[in-house]
Amino acid sequence: MKKNKKISMKDISKELGISITTISFIINNKAENKISKEVIKKVKDYIEKVGYKPNSSAQSLRTGKSKTIVFMAEDISDPFFSAIAKEMETIAFNNGYKIIYCSTENKKERALELLNLFKDRQVDAFIITPPEGFEDELKNLIYGENQVVMVFDRHFDGFKHNYVVLENYNGAREATKSLYDSGKRNIAFIGIKSVLSPLSNRLEGYRDSIKKYNLKEYSLLILFDNIKTEKGRDDIKFFLEKHPEIDGILFATNNLAISGLRVIKNKGLLIPEDLGIISFDDRDVFELFTPPISVIAQPVQELAEQLIKGTLKLLKTKPFKEDAFYQKALKGKLIIRKSQ
Amino acid sequence: MKKNKKISMKDISKELGISITTISFIINNKAENKISKEVIKKVKDYIEKVGYKPNSSAQSLRTGKSKTIVFMAEDISDPFFSAIAKEMETIAFNNGYKIIYCSTENKKERALELLNLFKDRQVDAFIITPPEGFEDELKNLIYGENQVVMVFDRHFDGFKHNYVVLENYNGAREATKSLYDSGKRNIAFIGIKSVLSPLSNRLEGYRDSIKKYNLKEYSLLILFDNIKTEKGRDDIKFFLEKHPEIDGILFATNNLAISGLRVIKNKGLLIPEDLGIISFDDRDVFELFTPPISVIAQPVQELAEQLIKGTLKLLKTKPFKEDAFYQKALKGKLIIRKSQ
DNA sequence: ACGATCTAGTAAAACGTTTTACCTTAAAGC
DNA sequence: GCTTTAAGGTAAAACGTTTTACTAGATCGT
């Protein structure tokens, strides 16, 4: 029962009296009009029979390709990113790729550390949600080191790169409009202090929308590190107390909304009577909340598909042509529930 | 700016006029009383200077080790598993290991497929939450193929293996007791139809507890595939309608509780007046629910630590001794909130 | 009939390590 | 003064592939 030794091409070669080269050609489908049908069948049958699988380390060493993609997420334990990860997983596996995940925690240093770890590890491509201030590293990775990199969830203006993102600006406009349509006239935006595109675009969308309706802007931007902490909740609390006239809130992320909802609940404010609420990103807590919270849901399935398929496509056409960037912005879906 | 060629040992060897062997020894810390301090320093400095990192494919090919661990979770997008994954990630990286994640969906066929995919890919260890009916495969993997495997979240009785699990039996007893202590006398158990240890042990804990208090058993076991579906919710609904005397429910998993809470909310039942609620596994939805739901929280951090540290330990001591199994059962933490 | 072309296949180098077995020189032991 | 031993180091094989360059024989066109 104990299989001690893995079978290799050499073994097959010896057993069948066929050269290793021939076997390699057959395995890699390069046998077309080189090798006779009979030999191909013989080898394929034998391979099937003994369950031979090529040694991937040897393949990697020889070809320089590892069939590995790194997904550097902001936080892989965040439901949004882990849902994306799971969808990608399957497609990647089906294409012979494996994915390695890691979390940057939105820290530049952490991201750099991880990047260095992987740069030397024969990785074929990076799918990455870069933290703030990572432009130079990213630029170098793409243009200096010539790596395949797909940027996710955010994008930069200074240089061309592949990306898959949400239509954040439009999403924020739609969300603001829906609060307005529910009769809210003092609509606040609670976001994160950051220049990253999803955050800044959402703020922009909110602002333009507010302006259009001639409303006053109320915006609170809290620090990324404080989102889930007491400090962040206090920020929100003080903000609401300072502007008691606020009657609607657009939260820029799900975690922000969760902190916000805790504050609102503690203060005994009524949703939607006192405050209309809408948040970016859907999570089951929003549906189960009393009352259920409206959201701009990200199309997780579609995002994941675009991400991984785009990356695989880039991998196939590498070295890439200047004009062949993969850039997608997908629409969010407004789901109106009872919170406005 | 464009670095075209990776630096290799051969390059260092040429540049420094030192043999590849010596360099290898130094890199692998086998230079102790073989190589002089000066040479060691010279090589280390040079490596530092040019930022050389060994080619991992070549290392894998030569050593047969890939420094890769597969974490085959039930569902990597489940908050519990993704939280575990994230914790493990860091520790693994710090020890020079990378982790590849995948999800079995609790399907035997899917797990088998994944296993076959990885068996031929030079993986050093498996951390796995086996689906039902996977005992034989697991046994073969451990004893037949001599792989390092750590079983997570569940364990089997028929054969010895490494595992890290929760103390499910005691957790269920504690949970039932806390419902009893809140004055509930018709306590139901809503679980999953499965022979996997966490599910069966939780049911057992509930049963023994009920017996101790001389209460009547009310248990509903629904199919894994139905948990998040309409069908599952209907099962719960009918169950509650059939036994209107039920005044407390212990949910065996978080997803079950979420489905249950949707039903309870729809039916307009009051928590905790009509129904006391407690669930296994904590999630932020439980804290934010109205009223907040009591839980038996799993010690995620500790579980992850045990898992990865245990696995690394096994990896170090392989080939393993018969008596050196790594087996841990950790206590859950009862968090009483307003739902009982 | 003879070189050209095609068919079916192979030998051997290369990828970048690790590791075994060996070598040289100098000091130590007696 | 001769043999051992230690210190410091190296050559070369091996891991299992992919790929380039080659070959032997058959077929073909003229």
Side-chain angles (χ1 to χ4, degrees):
Chain A
M1 180 53 67
K2 196 176 285 191
K3 290 170 203 162
N4 274 328
K5 200 63 182 151
K6 284 238 140 180
I7 192 167
S8 78
M9 280 191 174
K10 204 194 262 178
D11 302 324
I12 301 181
S13 165
K14 265 186 198 140
E15 188 63 34
L16 259 40
I18 290 175
S19 83
I20 289 185
T21 310
T22 303
I23 296 166
S24 175
F25 281 153
I26 293 173
I27 286 173
N28 294 292
N29 293 318
K30 296 188 175 160
E32 282 311 309
N33 54 32
K34 290 267 307 173
I35 311 294
S36 69
K37 302 267 182 249
E38 302 89 59
V39 174
I40 293 182
K41 180 159 172 22
K42 191 167 155 197
V43 171
K44 282 197 169 163
D45 285 354
Y46 186 77
I47 284 175
E48 175 77 16
K49 183 180 138 210
V50 298
Y52 163 80
K53 292 282 172 60
N55 176 308
S56 52
S57 306
Q59 288 180 313
S60 295
L61 176 57
R62 179 60 233 231
T63 61
K65 305 280 154 228
S66 61
K67 292 278 178 180
T68 300
I69 297 171
V70 167
F71 178 30
M72 208 181 283
E74 183 175 303
D75 177 358
I76 198 65
S77 74
D78 180 291
F80 172 58
F81 289 107
S82 66
I84 293 280
K86 189 186 169 194
E87 297 294 336
M88 291 203 298
E89 193 187 282
T90 314
I91 303 181
F93 282 0
N94 289 342
N95 283 271
Y97 281 84
K98 40 193 177 312
I99 300 188
I100 297 178
Y101 304 97
C102 51
S103 310
T104 66
E105 315 281 354
N106 239 4
K107 301 264 176 297
K108 192 182 160 187
E109 305 73 36
R110 174 92 181 124
L112 195 54
E113 212 176 283
L114 288 166
L115 201 56
N116 283 329
L117 199 147
F118 286 116
K119 274 204 296 207
D120 318 294
R121 283 198 180 234
Q122 295 41 71
V123 162
D124 293 350
F126 293 87
I127 298 175
I128 178 171
T129 57
E132 229 170 303
F134 212 62
E135 285 98 322
D136 286 346
E137 287 305 327
L138 207 56
K139 232 186 293 185
N140 182 51
L141 193 64
I142 301 170
Y143 293 102
E145 314 218 10
N146 242 310
Q147 297 272 7
V148 172
V149 1
M150 176 69 85
V151 178
F152 174 48
D153 189 55
R154 49 207 69 177
H155 69 101
F156 300 101
D157 285 332
F159 56 104
K160 284 205 95 177
H161 58 273
N162 307 295
Y163 61 76
V164 173
V165 299
L166 189 71
E167 271 193 5
N168 290 297
Y169 177 80
N170 286 333
R173 286 186 56 138
E174 249 193 285
T176 313
K177 175 177 188 303
S178 88
L179 244 22
Y180 183 87
D181 289 347
S182 313
K184 304 304 181 182
R185 291 298 178 268
N186 292 297
I187 301 171
F189 177 88
I190 297 187
I192 299 170
K193 206 184 232 51
S194 165
V195 298
L196 288 173
S197 65
L199 282 336
S200 60
N201 292 351
R202 287 170 194 183
L203 177 56
E204 221 178 304
Y206 157 80
R207 277 195 177 137
D208 286 358
S209 204
I210 291 285
K211 260 180 223 149
K212 184 175 142 197
Y213 297 125
N214 270 314
L215 303 181
K216 188 176 164 205
E217 172 182 337
Y218 300 89
S219 56
L220 168 67
L221 301 181
I222 74 182
L223 293 174
F224 182 84
D225 287 336
N226 290 342
I227 296 173
K228 295 181 176 181
T229 67
E230 189 73 35
K231 176 70 177 71
R233 272 170 263 139
D234 282 348
D235 287 348
I236 296 174
K237 188 163 155 250
F238 295 147
F239 176 70
L240 291 179
E241 281 164 2
K242 193 173 162 196
H243 306 288
E245 69 275 25
I246 287 173
D247 59 1
I249 306 180
L250 164 56
F251 286 102
T253 78
N254 54 2
N255 286 319
L256 231 28
I258 286 174
S259 283
L261 290 173
R262 287 171 73 165
V263 172
I264 290 165
K265 222 176 143 177
N266 273 340
K267 291 181 64 75
L269 293 170
L270 292 180
I271 303 174
E273 296 80 356
D274 299 335
L275 275 176
I277 302 287
I278 186 164
S279 171
F280 267 89
D281 310 335
D282 201 8
R283 285 179 60 163
D284 43 29
V285 54
F286 293 141
E287 202 188 339
L288 220 52
F289 197 81
T290 310
I293 306 296
S294 299
V295 295
I296 312 284
Q298 300 214 37
V300 171
Q301 172 96 32
E302 211 185 330
L303 284 168
E305 249 182 66
Q306 289 291 346
L307 270 179
I308 190 70
K309 287 190 178 163
T311 306
L312 291 173
K313 191 175 164 193
L314 293 168
L315 242 19
K316 261 180 208 127
T317 58
K318 199 195 175 194
F320 75 117
K321 327 229 180 318
E322 261 309 321
D323 53 339
F325 283 96
Y326 197 91
Q327 304 180 324
K328 303 270 175 182
L330 305 183
K331 275 199 195 357
K333 187 178 168 202
L334 178 66
I335 303 177
I336 295 189
R337 298 205 260 248
K338 300 275 165 66
S339 64
Q340 49 170 282
Chain B
M1 180 51 68
K2 197 175 285 190
K3 290 170 202 161
N4 274 328
K5 199 66 178 146
K6 285 238 143 182
I7 192 167
S8 78
M9 280 191 174
K10 204 195 262 178
D11 302 324
I12 302 181
S13 167
K14 266 186 197 142
E15 187 64 33
L16 259 40
I18 290 174
S19 83
I20 290 184
T21 311
T22 303
I23 296 165
S24 175
F25 281 152
I26 293 173
I27 285 172
N28 293 293
N29 293 318
K30 294 187 176 162
E32 282 311 307
N33 55 30
K34 290 266 309 170
I35 312 294
S36 69
K37 303 266 181 248
E38 301 89 60
V39 174
I40 293 183
K41 179 157 171 27
K42 192 168 155 194
V43 171
K44 282 198 169 163
D45 285 354
Y46 187 78
I47 284 175
E48 174 76 16
K49 182 180 137 208
V50 298
Y52 163 80
K53 293 282 172 57
N55 177 307
S56 52
S57 306
Q59 288 180 313
S60 295
L61 176 58
R62 177 61 233 232
T63 62
K65 303 281 154 226
S66 61
K67 292 279 180 178
T68 299
I69 297 171
V70 166
F71 177 31
M72 208 182 281
E74 184 175 302
D75 177 358
I76 198 64
S77 74
D78 181 290
F80 173 59
F81 289 107
S82 65
I84 293 280
K86 189 188 169 194
E87 297 294 333
M88 291 203 298
E89 193 188 282
T90 313
I91 303 180
F93 281 179
N94 290 343
N95 283 272
Y97 280 85
K98 40 193 178 311
I99 301 187
I100 297 178
Y101 304 96
C102 51
S103 310
T104 66
E105 316 280 353
N106 239 3
K107 301 263 175 298
K108 191 182 161 187
E109 305 74 35
R110 173 91 181 127
L112 196 53
E113 213 176 282
L114 288 166
L115 201 56
N116 283 330
L117 199 146
F118 286 116
K119 273 203 297 206
D120 318 294
R121 283 200 180 230
Q122 297 37 76
V123 163
D124 293 349
F126 292 87
I127 298 175
I128 179 172
T129 57
E132 229 170 305
F134 211 62
E135 285 97 322
D136 286 345
E137 287 305 328
L138 208 55
K139 232 187 291 187
N140 181 49
L141 193 64
I142 300 170
Y143 293 102
E145 314 217 9
N146 243 309
Q147 297 273 7
V148 173
V149 1
M150 175 68 84
V151 178
F152 173 48
D153 190 55
R154 47 207 71 178
H155 68 101
F156 300 102
D157 286 333
F159 55 105
K160 284 205 95 178
H161 58 274
N162 308 295
Y163 61 76
V164 173
V165 299
L166 188 72
E167 271 194 4
N168 289 298
Y169 177 81
N170 286 334
R173 286 185 56 139
E174 251 192 284
T176 313
K177 176 177 186 303
S178 87
L179 244 23
Y180 183 88
D181 290 347
S182 313
K184 306 302 182 182
R185 291 298 177 267
N186 292 297
I187 301 171
F189 177 89
I190 297 188
I192 298 169
K193 208 184 229 57
S194 165
V195 298
L196 288 174
S197 64
L199 282 336
S200 60
N201 291 352
R202 287 170 194 184
L203 176 57
E204 222 179 300
Y206 157 80
R207 277 194 178 136
D208 286 359
S209 203
I210 290 286
K211 260 180 223 148
K212 184 174 140 199
Y213 297 125
N214 271 313
L215 302 181
K216 187 175 164 207
E217 171 182 337
Y218 299 90
S219 56
L220 168 67
L221 301 181
I222 74 181
L223 293 174
F224 182 84
D225 287 336
N226 291 341
I227 295 173
K228 295 182 175 181
T229 67
E230 190 74 35
K231 177 72 177 69
R233 272 170 263 139
D234 281 348
D235 287 348
I236 296 173
K237 189 164 157 249
F238 295 147
F239 175 71
L240 291 179
E241 281 164 2
K242 193 172 162 197
H243 306 288
E245 69 275 25
I246 288 174
D247 59 1
I249 306 179
L250 164 56
F251 286 102
T253 78
N254 54 4
N255 286 319
L256 230 28
I258 286 175
S259 284
L261 289 173
R262 287 172 72 166
V263 172
I264 291 166
K265 222 176 144 179
N266 272 339
K267 292 179 64 73
L269 293 171
L270 291 179
I271 303 174
E273 295 80 356
D274 299 335
L275 274 175
I277 303 288
I278 187 166
S279 171
F280 266 89
D281 310 335
D282 202 8
R283 284 180 61 165
D284 42 30
V285 54
F286 293 142
E287 200 188 337
L288 220 52
F289 197 81
T290 309
I293 306 295
S294 299
V295 296
I296 311 285
Q298 300 214 37
V300 171
Q301 172 97 32
E302 210 185 330
L303 284 167
E305 250 182 66
Q306 290 291 346
L307 270 178
I308 190 69
K309 287 189 178 162
T311 306
L312 291 173
K313 191 176 164 191
L314 292 168
L315 242 20
K316 260 178 208 128
T317 58
K318 199 194 176 195
F320 76 116
K321 327 229 178 316
E322 262 307 322
D323 53 337
F325 284 96
Y326 197 92
Q327 304 180 324
K328 303 271 173 182
L330 304 185
K331 274 197 196 357
K333 187 178 169 204
L334 178 66
I335 303 178
I336 295 189
R337 297 205 260 248
K338 301 275 165 66
S339 63
Q340 50 172 282

